[in-house]
Amino acid sequence: MALPLTAAHRRYIVIAVTTVLIVSYFMSASKNKPSPSLGNMIPQISPPPHKANTTLVILARNTDLSGVISSVEQLEAKFNRKFSYPWVFLNDEPFSTDFKRRVSVLTNANVSFGLIPREHWVQPDWIDEGRAQEGRNKLVRHGVIYGSSVSYRNMCRFNSGFFFRHELLTPYKWYWRVEPDVRYYCDLDYDPFVFMKDHTKVYGFTISMPGKFSSLMVNDAHSVWSNFEIADMDFWRSEAYTKFFEHLDNTGGFYYERWGDAPVHSIAAALFTRKDQIHFFKDIGYKHAEFAHCPQGKQWREGHCSCDPNDNFDFAQNSCLRHLMRLDD
Amino acid sequence: MALPLTAAHRRYIVIAVTTVLIVSYFMSASKNKPSPSLGNMIPQISPPPHKANTTLVILARNTDLSGVISSVEQLEAKFNRKFSYPWVFLNDEPFSTDFKRRVSVLTNANVSFGLIPREHWVQPDWIDEGRAQEGRNKLVRHGVIYGSSVSYRNMCRFNSGFFFRHELLTPYKWYWRVEPDVRYYCDLDYDPFVFMKDHTKVYGFTISMPGKFSSLMVNDAHSVWSNFEIADMDFWRSEAYTKFFEHLDNTGGFYYERWGDAPVHSIAAALFTRKDQIHFFKDIGYKHAEFAHCPQGKQWREGHCSCDPNDNFDFAQNSCLRHLMRLDD
């Protein structure tokens, strides 16, 4: 797939194509996404057998324990106690006994702890370390968050191209990506995976990417989009995405610059899916760092949401939604 | 009830009697409290009709909103979503529209917001304000928390003698006292009120009072005991407790000193109940400020508790339990 172009050429092409695609996607996005159909509502009786081949997945370090407990405790209370989808925890180092004990106790569902293969994580040998160091120095000079971090770059690359190939994830089609220390504000009483299946959705999000998103490196909101994902791993495993990722990876941009998995995933979604295959989970109240999505109106009430409906990134200065989508329903 | 003794005499008598009673209560406390019987286990099916005449009660100000939301959200998730016991919120000022809206949305249960009658809250006219000011100054000089606060004293007196007389609470027999900004760590899958009823319990707690508890003013742990209570309001409405409270109140000690509702409640429980009428809810994981109770062993596992079983006030330096009760089971 490597084209006979310089890295600079390739970068400009990616930026230009991306900008056009993203803007056109949002300009034409359907105004009224269907709400989860009543047919999917699970009455609060006993947990049903799994209705989708799904896992909840967290990438974490042992030092993230308290943040992991907080996120798992909330998602179990708001959603998974009723559905018992299995959890997969991934780490580039072995999880400690204490981590496994404290996390396993939180759920009735199956829990697996996996080690990431070294070749899916560390900076590849063929990366020019001198050039990578130069790239890191440049971002540090510009005050870019995680500018100096190699492990952050490992993580972005892993989330872009490798997590869905981990042996603990290959048995599954669907996943919900969970991060340490996030907030889930509302009860979710239907199965979002059944909803995705029934409506032939591929990619679901709850916080939209910022307006200045026009390159593969998002300076001020590095993972606003992809730290929450409900999506179909077969999409990442497809030939189109595999070639797309390999092309990006071969440029070295994950290390020479600091490309995030958020733009990689969303560009791919814009390139390789129909717009009606992407779903905005308006009804899932969520917060990551300072970015929050709080459902409105009926969804806020029915979800028993603990967030302030006025405290919503949807309406903030640099959210795409403000300009490009109608939120009223 | 006022005795012909000076305030100093009365104080010394109270201290001496209290010390003897408390120590003897704990020395003779039954070592192995019964666990909630299986007969009370509510399977996780649909919410049953209320099995006890019970309310969940919070005293709060409008400025406590975020802490109230946090406590209610947790208790709903861990317990009340299955039982739908009604909530009562009390305030010495009217609750704001925003407070009522944000709190009501969190639950399917009935919610009431009440104003505390002025005569149940403010410092009575017959209190000698000069002497009260002197008492406050003294506590400030000694660095006692809330030493200068009149509203803290109003609250302690209200919680000691008045909350159960509020018109929103008089229809109920049982209550669970909830405070803003506390943590509930574990799922509670049985009905603790049915347990209390079936075992003729009167007073339930989860964090024991500190060892230096030997006067009506607890310096360093002002509400460790009573900020969590599952108890029978008819006990506070009884003639014995009414006279006890009136006697204490007539001494003016709530204002001249800074008597807490924690020792008042626990002294009364020690004086007027049989020891088998008091229940230590070992299985309820709870944290208030820096004081935590984390269930152990089987109860920790079955409750899906998010607390660290090693981070437990039960075992801390100044918990009575360390010295006086056996926790192993």
Side-chain angles (χ1 to χ4, degrees), chain A residues 44-45 69 73 77-78 81 101-102 105-108 183 185 187 300-301 304-309, chain B residues 44-45 69 73 77-78 81 101-102 105-108 183 185 187 300-301 304-309:
Chain A
Q44 294 190 0
I45 313 290
I69 289 173
E73 181 181 18
K78 306 287 189 183
R81 192 72 86 235
R101 175 168 166 265
R102 294 286 307 282
V105 76
L106 302 172
T107 177
N108 289 323
R183 284 281 283 122
Y185 290 119
D187 291 339
W300 181 75
R301 288 189 301 275
H304 305 111
C305 300
S306 58
C307 48
D308 184 345
Chain B
Q44 294 189 1
I45 315 291
I69 288 173
E73 181 181 18
K78 306 288 189 183
R81 192 72 87 236
R101 175 168 166 264
R102 295 285 309 280
V105 76
L106 303 172
T107 177
N108 289 323
R183 284 282 282 122
Y185 291 119
D187 291 339
W300 182 75
R301 289 189 301 275
H304 305 109
C305 300
S306 58
C307 49
D308 183 345

Side-chain angles (χ1 to χ4, degrees), chain B residues 143-156:
Chain B
V144 173
I145 190 170
Y146 304 123
S148 69
S149 171
V150 176
S151 70
Y152 185 82
R153 288 169 170 81
N154 293 342
M155 185 188 72
C156 289

